[in-house]
Structures are given as structure tokens and as C-alpha cells.
Amino acid sequence: MLRIVTAIRLPRTSAALVVGFLLAGCTNAPASDPSIAPTGAASSTPTSVPTPTASADADADAAIPPDRPTALDGPATVENAETVAVYFQRLYPYVYATGDISEWKTLTDPDCIFCHSVLSEVAQLEQVGQRMRGGLITASDVTALEPDPGHVFHVTFHVEVEPTELLDTTGAVIQSNPASVGTIDTIVIWEDGTWVVRGVTPTQAS
């Protein structure tokens, strides 16, 4: 696990989230709960969900919120679950770049450890005036299982993450992190007419 050297001390369980920017740290394994084990029919064809090419040099890229997909309004289909899972991860660099956690918080289930770790870290960065730059995500090969039809969806996809930089209050770079690739496993729930994310497990490619 990588460590970050900054002016703040992040919790041991979540510090690597900022460093690895999604792929090297704290997880909330979707399959750990038997009620949401990944069994069931997968979507027939892996979906490619490209994101705009970006550079970590362009601060405005991560600071622009991703487009809100209509899938957030339902219905509870495999395709919509895939879209929601990818959208949630596209919010990741945005919340670190801007401190705007409103949409992330709305989609966060109370039991999502990963999601709440992000909220905690962003709050700590805000307190000391630090922020992240870069880290835009390109998703591909998106597939989903539906262990509880119409309710629980287990979405897996490949990600490529742009380089990131941690900036201090003056805009000076404190730490740089290279681009990375890996996979994201996400449990999304359709409940009471609303999508929420219950678990996220990022795995960095070896």
C-alpha cells in the first residue's frame, strides 16, 4: 500500500485512496455479504463506456462534473445499473478536485465503507485547503450480475485512471501519482425508486 506525505494525517484505513486515486486502497468487498453474492445472469455483452481524454495538467477537466445520466431515474435494469456504477466512479476525481460532495453523498448507502472514506478524506482536504488535480477515469468492458433481480446489481468494469497531483493552498504540487489501470467491483441497489451504492472494491492491475 502506498503512503501519502502531506500536511494532514488521514485514517490508516483510507489514506491510500488519495494516493492510489481509487485503485490501491480501502475496499468494501461486494461479495462479502451472502445476500449480495455475485450469482445470477450477467449482461450479455460487455459495455464500453469511454470518457473524454484528459490531462492531469488541465485542472478544469476534473473540476467539471460528469453529465448526470438518465439511468439515475430508473428503472432497475442491468443496463441502468452499469451506467450508475460508472457514473459514481466518474464523480470520484470531481469530488477531490472541487470538494462538492452533494451528488456523491446522495448516491452513498449508509453501509458503503469506501464511499464514506471518500467523504471523510475530502472533508479533511477541505479543512487544510488542499485538493487533487487530474485522475479522470475511462471505463470499459462493463458487465453486471443481478443476484436479486430488480434490486441488487453487481457491476464490474475495467478502468484507466489519469495521473493525479495533490496541491497545497498555493497550488504547488505536494505529490504526483502516475496513471494506473485496474478493475472496479461495485454493488448498486435500487430501493424505493432510488439508486444507491452499497460497496466498491477497486483492484489495481499488477
Side-chain angles (χ1 to χ4, degrees), residues 60-181:
D61 290 335
I64 297 173
D67 292 334
R68 186 184 188 278
T70 58
L72 286 173
D73 300 322
T77 64
V78 166
E79 292 77 13
N80 282 347
E82 292 174 349
T83 300
V84 169
V86 172
Y87 171 69
F88 189 69
Q89 296 310 325
R90 287 179 177 165
L91 285 170
Y92 189 91
Y94 170 73
V95 299
Y96 277 104
T98 66
D100 180 4
I101 60 172
S102 56
E103 185 78 340
W104 182 277
K105 192 172 181 179
T106 296
L107 290 170
T108 292
D109 185 85
D111 294 330
C112 183
I113 297 171
F114 176 96
C115 310
H116 286 284
S117 294
V118 170
L119 293 173
S120 176
E121 288 166 2
V122 171
Q124 291 181 68
L125 290 174
E126 285 287 296
Q127 287 177 2
V128 295
Q130 296 178 353
R131 60 191 173 89
M132 297 295 293
R133 178 166 65 186
L136 290 185
I137 294 169
T138 300
S140 60
D141 300 326
V142 186
T143 59
L145 299 170
E146 194 175 5
D148 184 357
H151 178 53
V152 179
F153 301 82
H154 178 180
V155 183
T156 302
F157 51 94
H158 175 82
V159 289
E160 298 179 16
V161 184
E162 295 285 336
T164 62
E165 295 172 333
L166 180 66
L167 310 178
D168 67 13
T169 55
T170 69
V173 177
I174 299 173
Q175 181 167 341
S176 298
N177 299 294
S180 57
V181 297

